[in-house]
Amino acid sequence: EEEEKSVNTVPSERTPGLTGERIVAQRADVLHREVHTRASAIPVNNKITVLFSAPLVYEDVNIGLCPINSLDHELEREILWQVFKEASRDIDLSFDCATMKRLLAHMTVGCTCLHFSGHGHKSHLTFEDGRGGMHWLAVNILRDVISRNAQGGSAPFKFVFVSACHSLLAGETFVRAGVPHVVCCQQESQLMNSAALAFTRAFYLALAIGRTVRDSFEIGRQAVACSPSVPSPETEMKKFLLLPEGGDHEYAVFNAEAVQEWPRVKPESTGPHEMGGAASVPRRSSLMRRSVIKSSSRHVHAGGGSGIPTDHHLPSPPQGFLGREVDMYKLLNAVLEKRFVNLVGPVGMGRSSLAAALCHYVHDRKQDMNIDDIFYVRADEARRNHPLSAILVQLHKQLVTAGRTMPLPPSYDMDDVSSAVLKALQGKRSLVVLDRIEV
């Protein structure tokens, strides 16, 4: 069976006064009138922000911590990256984790479009809480947050795509907050991944080259109907909705010039969110990795921090790493709360795999978790008799690569290495992982 983008759980607190009934035609007319006068005031900046939500657990009052199966966000990310590369337009594409902190940051900076991808729920958006847990974001709170960040009486986004099943209520909430164009899924429907990916690919390609929202939506639905990999394609295509129903969607969200090569990096970029026609290069090795953009003269890091890539020191994510979400959540919170964490257990239980998986999870959320860099040092088997010296030398090499210290002179002793390492780490919030060493 295909994976469904849904979490069939109920948050402990219900949103008062909000129900999951389908929008009728009269209600759609009201929503359209509410946003019609505000739509034209939103500035064009040809920027899209993609927020991925991948919490590890949610808490049940009776059971305790419950694991959450992960969605294939990396595949969706790759598709979006390839779509905008094929379109070759001067459009900024950025990826981030779906927390309230990051949503507020992007609303403040400003972007044309917002794409949310996560598990669906009938009355909430499933955000992350910044510590690996689920944040049940009630739609009334979401509406208030967006309304209070209105710019000149209009919503901060011209277009929102809610890539989750059971997302009608969330879509309606964005409309009530003033967003003139919203794509979502019927409230009672489970959405198959293959249908969502087929729609996303076709929809964004049309939107990026300047087609209207209405045209792009119909092109996306036809792509679902014609896809050989989608079961019951006629049924699946009808699950996608364009809100407000009956609204004027003959509007081109993007008005971007064609570029010879995409992504394009502005030569005077001053921060991770100031890239022209730029995007994080997708890699299958890490879930939702906000990785490195290469240009002829510099690297731009889309995940914050120093701007110099350090992720190449991380080990490859463990293959077939399933069913350890609760362990990862507990380890993550220990790391965030304490300065020193010792991960212990019998040989073969997967301590190294757990540590590696956690590093990749944290790497994608460094800015949100206030972590500057991650350094992963694995003890050399051949130098087990001198583990401290071996680890310090490796760590120093990584710090040199990260631009945090200078190379050692030809003749040095361990005091020189220790002093250089401590000085390089001083004043920074770094996660240093020492693997295969007993303390």
Side-chain angles (χ1 to χ4, degrees), residues 285-347:
S285 62
S286 174
L287 174 65
M288 201 190 71
R289 181 192 299 275
R290 288 176 290 175
S291 53
V292 176
I293 310 301
K294 286 189 176 181
S295 67
S296 58
S297 60
R298 68 192 296 267
H299 290 81
V300 177
H301 196 276
S306 64
I308 302 175
T310 57
D311 64 313
H312 58 274
H313 294 300
L314 300 183
S316 299
Q319 297 296 316
F321 189 78
L322 301 172
R324 303 193 68 179
E325 292 85 2
V326 174
D327 290 338
M328 275 188 63
Y329 175 80
K330 292 179 178 179
L331 180 59
L332 171 62
N333 280 266
V335 167
L336 294 177
E337 294 171 2
K338 305 179 186 302
R339 297 190 64 182
F340 179 81
V341 177
N342 189 15
L343 182 58
V344 298
V347 176

